[in-house]
Amino acid sequence: MAEIDPVSGPGDASRPMATPASNLALRIGSAFVLAPLALFTAYFGDWPFALFWGIAAIAVLWEWTTLVVGPGHQLMVSAGGSAIGVAALVAWLHRPITAILLVGLGVIAALIFAPRERRLWITAGIGYAGCMLLAPLLLRADDAYGFLALVLLFAIVWTTDVLGYFAGRALGGPKLLPAVSPKKTWSGAVAGTLGAMIVAVLVVEYFGLFNRAAIAIIALLLSVVAQLGDLFESWIKRQFGAKDASQLIPGHGGVMDRLDGFWAAALIGCLIGLLRGGFDGAARGLLVW
């Protein structure tokens, strides 16, 4: 969930600053391309879905590595990216344990080429990218409920993001965590969460009979987690004096900037599903109470 207002960092003053209106237009244009693509691949499932998230995870790993180590470390990206790419294929073949082990091997391989002082950061980055890959794939592997679980996650994260942004600008008020993200407000956070709870209940009611109270609580939890994921990514960028993770997505910065909230919500949602439904029924475990 990239912010429209810039975060100060080295080099910011030397480049042109987009106006809020032009940045918002870019964000809307990018969303009109990426949101339908995410929904289509989630609906289709199978190899397009694995490919979509495999590419996203590799892009995130590249952004993370460039952010924490700097450009010119292709061996680390290649080692971790290869493991993530193979893990996507293996997860698509419904071998989740093997896919998780492959991500772990990617950590080991990348560490061989990482500078000693950045090894912890590189390990965290591969874990970050690996979770972004495996959580959606494990949820979508549930044939009966996988698509609905992804639609619910998208609805929660997108509503939290959009409503939080506009409500925060309209209502203002105390800042949420000014040292990390100076433009976010408590009013936007609360509005985004309440909106996500309402939208989540409407989404599952459209698809069938579910426990509305349970879904509302799940939406509350995942909306809060998504906002924490957003703040976490802002904190990471501040550690390295960066405004955006990259410029891959017009108006949004990088893939990390766009998926920071989704990554966190998908991870927690997947863990809840795995605890209740196992590897073969993660989406059911998340949705059916």
Side-chain angles (χ1 to χ4, degrees):
M1 292 183 283
E3 297 176 11
I4 284 183
D5 297 279
V7 175
S8 298
D12 285 350
S14 63
R15 64 181 174 183
M17 187 180 300
T19 64
S22 63
N23 205 334
L24 180 60
L26 284 172
R27 292 187 69 176
I28 293 172
S30 296
F32 270 111
V33 174
L34 295 175
L37 182 60
L39 287 170
F40 170 77
T41 57
Y43 175 78
F44 193 85
D46 208 8
W47 67 264
F49 187 70
L51 179 63
F52 179 85
W53 286 105
I55 292 172
I58 292 172
V60 164
L61 177 60
W62 172 76
E63 290 175 346
W64 182 290
T65 304
T66 302
L67 185 65
V68 306
V69 184
H73 292 277
Q74 292 85 356
L75 287 176
M76 282 184 293
V77 177
S78 298
S82 297
I84 287 173
V86 176
L89 174 62
V90 172
W92 167 58
L93 295 172
H94 294 241
R95 299 292 185 269
I97 295 296
T98 307
I100 293 171
L101 291 174
L102 281 168
V103 172
L105 289 175
V107 171
I108 296 172
L111 289 178
I112 295 174
F113 306 105
R116 185 182 300 274
E117 67 278 7
R118 288 289 185 264
R119 285 180 177 173
L120 182 60
W121 284 107
I122 295 299
T123 301
I126 296 178
Y128 187 98
C131 289
M132 188 172 291
L133 166 72
L134 294 176
L137 290 179
L138 289 174
L139 287 170
R140 188 61 183 87
D142 185 331
D143 291 332
Y145 294 94
F147 175 62
L148 175 55
L150 268 297
V151 171
L152 182 67
L153 281 172
F154 290 143
I156 291 170
V157 174
W158 293 345
T159 302
T160 300
D161 189 9
V162 174
L163 191 57
Y165 170 74
F166 285 106
R169 286 180 66 89
L171 301 175
K175 303 300 182 182
L176 182 62
L177 196 61
V180 173
S181 187
K183 298 301 179 181
K184 287 184 172 57
T185 62
W186 278 103
S187 61
V190 171
T193 298
L194 292 176
M197 294 171 68
I198 295 170
V199 171
V201 171
L202 293 175
V203 166
V204 296
E205 283 197 341
Y206 176 81
F207 282 88
L209 296 175
F210 290 88
N211 186 326
R212 288 179 291 181
I215 294 299
I217 293 172
I218 290 293
L220 168 64
L221 172 63
L222 297 186
S223 177
V224 171
V225 168
Q227 294 180 69
L228 291 175
D230 188 349
L231 291 170
F232 173 72
E233 202 242 0
S234 295
W235 177 80
I236 293 292
K237 289 186 294 186
R238 279 188 171 272
Q239 301 311 299
F240 298 94
K243 174 183 178 292
D244 297 315
S246 75
Q247 298 299 318
L248 290 176
I249 305 176
H252 288 289
V255 179
M256 277 177 60
D257 300 302
R258 181 74 301 235
L259 296 177
D260 49 10
F262 180 83
W263 161 82
L267 174 60
I268 299 304
C270 183
L271 290 176
I272 293 171
L274 289 174
L275 288 173
R276 300 189 69 245
F279 283 113
D280 295 328
R284 179 183 178 87
L286 177 63
L287 296 173
V288 180
W289 296 78

